[in-house]
């Protein structure tokens, strides 16, 4: 069987440019017709191209495919397949983690209508929290990039200690940063080293509150969380922290919803 480039492309399902590239890296060496100048692919060229497409469908790097098709022993070929099997398992684990994170995000959104303005007893998750700082140092920026590289497993988190809660004012800056559950922190090798903080799981009151656009967070937190707690005679013991659930738009107005855990003395 002999085929020109266009015929070989239809036969293998590869693009013309891909066939030429595969020739340049040594997968095939088609015969060049001296009269017409056309490349002519024989049976073995087509076998090698078909094998190349088959191994590439596993996501194997092209240099590995070239070696498999042109030179590998059985042992070498087996080793490359085992290496790619491990890579695919890691990719599956990564996709499963992202799927779980997306399901958690959807569950939080669905909780808004049930927990908005309601206080319920709940154990807070144990987390590691990294507050954002106006620190342009290369060391801090490197840490911040590491946290952002862990998206979507990282939450956009705020935290306030007792002194910060006592000194809240409408002009106060929100205390935002990033957090990981301790389970994900272990998985991704994030340690609670300064300036990161460890917040253990504690018996808490859980609620959701709403804020709108810029400059509304502190007043919303005070009016919807702190003031109702005070009216109920409840006291907070320890740092308060919570996560941004979602930001969305209705017309020209911005809406934000936050979940928060308020530790109790129990």
């Amino acid at each position: 069987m002999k085929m020109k480039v266009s015929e070989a492309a239809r036969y293998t399902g590869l693009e013309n440019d891909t066939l030429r590239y595969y020739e340049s890296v040594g997968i095939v060496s088609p015969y060049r017709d001296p009269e017409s100048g056309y490349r002519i692919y024989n049976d073995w060229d087509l076998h090698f191209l078909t094998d190349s497409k088959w191994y590439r469908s596993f996501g194997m790097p092209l240099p590995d495919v070239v070696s498999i098709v042109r030179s590998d022993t059985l042992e070498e070929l087996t080793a490359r397949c085992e290496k790619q099997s491990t890579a695919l398992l890691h990719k599956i684990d990564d996709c499963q983690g992202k799927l779980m994170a997306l399901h958690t995000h959807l569950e939080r959104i669905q909780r808004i209508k049930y927990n908005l303005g309601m206080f319920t007893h709940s154990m807070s998750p144990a987390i590691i929290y990294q507050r954002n700082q106006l620190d342009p140092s290369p060391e801090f920026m490197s840490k911040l990039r590491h946290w952002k590289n862990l998206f979507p497993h990282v939450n956009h988190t705020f935290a306030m200690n007792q002194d910060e809660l006592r000194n809240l004012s409408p002009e106060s800056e929100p205390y935002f940063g990033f957090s990981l559950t301790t389970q994900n922190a272990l998985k991704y090798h994030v340690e609670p080293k300064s300036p990161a903080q460890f917040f253990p799981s504690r018996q808490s009151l859980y609620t959701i509150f709403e804020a709108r656009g810029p400059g509304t967070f502190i007043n919303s937190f005070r009016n919807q969380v702190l003031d109702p707690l005070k009216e109920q005679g409840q006291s907070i013991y320890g740092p308060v922290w919570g996560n941004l659930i979602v930001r969305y738009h209705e017309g020209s107005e911005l809406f934000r919803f936050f979940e928060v855990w308020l530790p109790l003395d129990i």
Side-chain angles (χ1 to χ4, degrees):
M1 186 185 301
K2 295 182 179 180
M3 294 184 181
K4 297 178 182 177
V5 170
S6 58
E7 295 169 331
R10 287 195 297 271
Y11 179 82
T12 60
L14 297 168
E15 299 292 331
N16 290 7
D17 289 344
T18 303
L19 294 182
R20 294 188 180 96
Y21 182 66
Y22 279 10
E23 178 184 350
S24 72
V25 297
I27 289 177
V28 291
S29 301
Y31 168 73
R32 179 88 65 159
D33 187 300
E35 295 184 4
S36 65
Y38 291 144
R39 292 175 174 83
I40 305 298
Y41 294 84
N42 62 26
D43 287 345
W44 279 105
D45 291 324
L46 297 173
H47 292 328
F48 289 152
L49 290 170
T50 300
D51 286 352
S52 298
K53 185 172 183 179
W54 193 77
Y55 281 109
R56 283 287 280 167
S57 70
F58 292 112
M60 283 190 176
L62 187 58
D64 284 2
V65 172
V66 174
S67 295
I68 287 173
V69 171
R70 300 303 304 187
S71 63
D72 272 358
T73 64
L74 180 60
E75 289 78 11
E76 290 169 335
L77 183 151
T78 301
R80 293 186 199 278
C81 290
E82 289 173 344
K83 178 182 176 182
Q84 188 61 18
S85 175
T86 301
L88 288 173
L89 286 173
H90 288 159
K91 186 173 291 188
I92 289 170
D93 181 64
D94 180 61
C95 288
Q96 286 178 333
K98 289 176 180 177
L99 182 60
M100 289 178 63
L102 186 56
H103 283 172
T104 299
H105 180 54
L106 290 170
E107 288 170 1
R108 286 173 175 164
I109 292 174
Q110 291 162 1
R111 283 205 300 265
I112 291 173
K113 61 182 177 182
Y114 300 109
N115 292 99
L116 182 63
M118 303 294 293
F119 292 86
T120 57
H121 287 269
S122 172
M123 292 297 296
S124 64
I127 65 165
I128 293 177
Y129 166 70
Q130 170 69 63
R131 178 173 289 188
N132 289 340
Q133 301 176 18
L134 296 177
D135 182 357
S137 69
E139 181 182 4
F140 181 77
M141 296 305 292
S142 176
K143 288 181 179 179
L144 204 57
R145 281 195 301 272
H146 178 62
W147 279 84
K148 292 183 177 181
N149 286 339
L150 297 177
F151 287 173
H153 309 292
V154 169
N155 288 309
H156 194 187
T157 301
F158 66 91
M160 292 173 274
N161 61 36
Q162 295 281 46
D163 287 339
E164 291 166 337
L165 287 170
R166 281 191 290 269
N167 295 305
L168 280 181
S169 71
E171 291 77 32
S172 298
E173 289 292 327
Y175 305 94
F176 284 105
F178 299 111
S179 73
L180 280 168
T181 64
T182 50
Q183 181 180 0
N184 278 330
L186 285 171
K187 181 176 181 179
Y188 297 110
H189 310 292
V190 175
E191 298 181 5
K193 292 182 178 179
S194 180
Q197 299 172 261
F198 171 62
F199 291 167
S201 178
R202 293 189 57 178
Q203 182 65 46
S204 305
L205 286 176
Y206 172 85
T207 191
I208 292 175
F209 69 97
E210 173 190 349
R212 298 293 177 94
T216 63
F217 177 87
I218 294 297
N219 278 338
S220 298
F221 177 69
R222 182 192 297 279
N223 296 336
Q224 298 173 47
V225 179
L226 296 183
D227 289 350
L229 272 185
K230 187 176 180 180
E231 292 172 5
Q232 296 175 22
Q234 296 277 9
S235 297
I236 299 172
Y237 294 85
V240 168
W241 68 270
N243 299 316
L244 171 70
I245 298 176
V246 68
R247 266 191 290 255
Y248 68 89
H249 298 264
E250 286 189 7
S252 61
E253 193 156 15
L254 176 67
F255 291 80
R256 296 180 290 166
F257 288 89
F258 300 87
E259 59 182 355
V260 60
W261 284 268
L262 309 146
L264 301 174
D265 183 24
I266 295 178

